Amino acid sequence: MSSERLVVVGSLNMDLSVTVPRLPRPGETVSGADVVRGAGGKGANQAVAAARLGAEVRMIGLLGDDALGGELRERLAREGVDAQGVAQLPGVASGLALIVVQQDGENTITLSPGANHHLDVPALDTLTGGTLARPADTLLLQLEVPLPTVVAAARAARAAGALTVLNAAPLPAPDHPELGPLLSSVDVLVVNETEAAGLLTPGPADDRAAWAAHADALRDLGPATVVITLGADGAVAAGPQGVCTEHGFTVPAVDTVGAGDAFCAQLALSLGSGTPLPDAVRRSCAAGALATTRPGAQSSLPSTAEVDALLAGAPAPYESATNEVHHA
Ligand code: ADP
């Protein structure tokens, strides 16, 4: 294991899911199967993903002082994530997602952010003891906690010499006053197609080359490196050395939940350890693809060995007919 460390500042939720024959209409009661509990929240998902991928991970976040909070903290620790920077706030509820799934997969989700929305800048300082990151660390951020906190974390990590990676999900309104300062405070931006389209004035692209050009255009907003994930079509990236496109892996996908989180965790780890961008993107696509082969969020996240195996069975990046690297 390397001496670098990944620090995640972000959300933690409990996902409670019930499968029903059909979604209830307003005012209606529908009986369903037994409730399934799953740990979730983009922050916790990416922290657990990184731990399974072999990293030393420190998570910073807030839970409530309820039973769900205790369970979520325990689950993180069981995954090997350092949860000393995760506190349980007295009198506050833990983040909770109530998910109702119709048998054909159609679903409704009601989210109660709870303690996640209490993660303000003073709370961040308290949880980190004033030291968020060391120079060799990588900071991985998402947007399910208050934006001013994310900006403060990015700036603190950058001032400490750490690499800062932002998964801009969920994307706030493009005219949100904190969005500009945030994008100019991170080194790497990761977005999916919808988020990329939300950030771009030219509008969405319709092929991989156009997405790669958009990734390059997004670098003007501040991040030196921009990666756009394209679901089953892989990902494109633009960095100081040029743009690259990665066609991804064909796998028997059953549930895409967790794919983006696995991708972001692997990308942060690979770039943090100095892996060149095309190789980092390919490895991240392998992690994302594996997460689609199993149901659930954290339950679907792959291990390093699984990523290595998928990569070993696939054509080498620079020889593959489907992987193109263009240096500017
Ligand atoms: P998000 O879940 O954040 O919208 P994507 O759907 O773009 O993100 O997925 C993230 C990554 O996971 C993709 O870049 C790709 O590498 C991988 N992935 C997602 N869906 C599939 C799929 N059906 N088959 C293979 N890989 C996939």
Side-chain angles (χ1 to χ4, degrees), residues 197-215:
L199 283 171
L200 286 166
T201 23
D206 53 9
D207 65 29
R208 229 180 245 107
W211 278 118
H214 280 354

Side-chain angles (χ1 to χ4, degrees), residues 192-193 229-232 234-235 248-251 253 256 259-260 263 284-286 288-289 292:
N192 66 15
E193 291 161 280
T229 64
L230 305 174
F249 294 82
T250 304
V251 291
T256 60
F263 185 101
S284 305
C285 279
T292 71

Side-chain angles (χ1 to χ4, degrees), residues 42 46 167 169 190-195 227-236 246-264 281-293:
K42 285 185 196 297
Q46 293 182 15
N167 175 209
V190 191
V191 284
N192 66 15
E193 291 161 280
T194 314
E195 292 143 5
V227 180
I228 304 178
T229 64
L230 305 174
D233 291 332
V236 296
E246 167 56 53
H247 290 227
F249 294 82
T250 304
V251 291
V254 295
D255 170 7
T256 60
V257 175
D261 293 328
F263 185 101
C264 291
V281 170
R282 182 161 177 81
R283 192 169 177 87
S284 305
C285 279
L290 286 164
T292 71
T293 62

Side-chain angles (χ1 to χ4, degrees), residues 44-73:
N45 289 350
Q46 293 182 15
V48 169
R52 292 207 191 148
L53 292 167
E56 181 191 341
V57 187
R58 177 189 190 203
M59 169 104 207
I60 311 292
L62 284 177
L63 291 162
D65 67 345
D66 46 15
L68 295 179
E71 188 179 333
L72 286 169
R73 214 165 175 281

